[in-house]
Amino acid sequence: IDSVTVVFSDDFRRDEQLRRLALSQFRSQFHLSPADRGYALEKGETILRAHAAGFISTRLAPADIPNDGKQTPMKGHPVFTAQHACACCCRGCLEKWHHIPKGRALTTEEQSDIVELLLDWIRHDLTLPFKPKRPSRQAEFFNPTKKAAGENVS
């Protein structure tokens, strides 16, 4: 049999990337907060795409990033959450998950692919029902309104 070249669409490739990322215990724990969900719905895809493109071009695309591994906040914008969920938060994660080597600037096409992956993740996360995180045991312990078990409530 002669070798066969299979060409996948960009949509298929991004779907496959999202599927692989969802299998990661760490990556799959990221979800949009209520504030991020509201922001994403209010601003819309066009503005989110512009924000994502700006974040990627300034924080991820350069060949040398002095604070690599710390350049993406954990929260505060839907794109930041998507970057962590999609392993597009630093050059180390890009190299590990997407096989884009460190030490060289990202191409325009790579930047565009990353932006589209982030937007796909945001669109998908918006379709999921919001599940608040379970409060920590410490938060439960220090909640003054919660009565201790067996305490008489009048």
Side-chain angles (χ1 to χ4, degrees):
I1 297 177
D2 294 333
S3 66
V4 177
T5 302
V6 179
V7 178
F8 294 111
S9 72
D10 287 343
D11 288 340
F12 176 84
R13 191 167 49 89
R14 286 194 308 270
D15 287 346
E16 179 60 22
Q17 286 174 314
L18 290 172
R19 187 195 65 72
R20 281 188 325 109
L21 290 160
L23 296 175
S24 163
Q25 185 176 4
F26 177 72
R27 301 288 165 197
S28 65
Q29 75 181 342
F30 290 98
H31 295 285
L32 295 174
S33 69
D36 286 346
R37 291 170 75 88
Y39 184 88
L41 293 170
E42 176 189 331
K43 297 299 181 184
E45 193 169 312
T46 302
I47 290 177
L48 286 179
R49 178 177 276 106
H51 289 176
F55 295 148
I56 298 307
S57 70
T58 58
R59 297 173 184 228
L60 204 60
D64 181 39
I65 303 168
N67 62 337
D68 193 32
K70 296 179 177 146
Q71 71 265 43
T72 305
M74 293 299 281
K75 57 186 177 179
H77 196 287
V79 172
F80 296 155
T81 305
Q83 283 183 263
H84 289 290
C86 295
C88 298
C89 45
C90 67
R91 293 303 293 263
C93 291
L94 271 181
E95 188 171 59
K96 176 181 177 181
W97 283 89
H98 305 287
H99 312 293
I100 300 173
K102 294 181 184 183
R104 68 159 176 85
L106 298 179
T107 66
T108 303
E109 183 179 0
E110 288 168 335
Q111 291 179 57
S112 179
D113 287 348
I114 291 167
V115 167
E116 292 308 315
L117 179 66
L118 299 175
L119 291 173
D120 283 352
W121 183 89
I122 291 170
R123 276 193 296 278
H124 173 73
D125 202 69
L126 287 171
T127 67
L128 302 175
F130 175 71
K131 293 182 183 176
K133 289 184 177 178
R134 183 174 172 261
S136 70
R137 301 292 273 154
Q138 184 177 9
E140 290 174 16
F141 181 78
F142 288 109
N143 186 345
T145 60
K146 190 172 184 174
K147 298 290 183 184
E151 190 174 314
N152 193 3
V153 179
S154 315

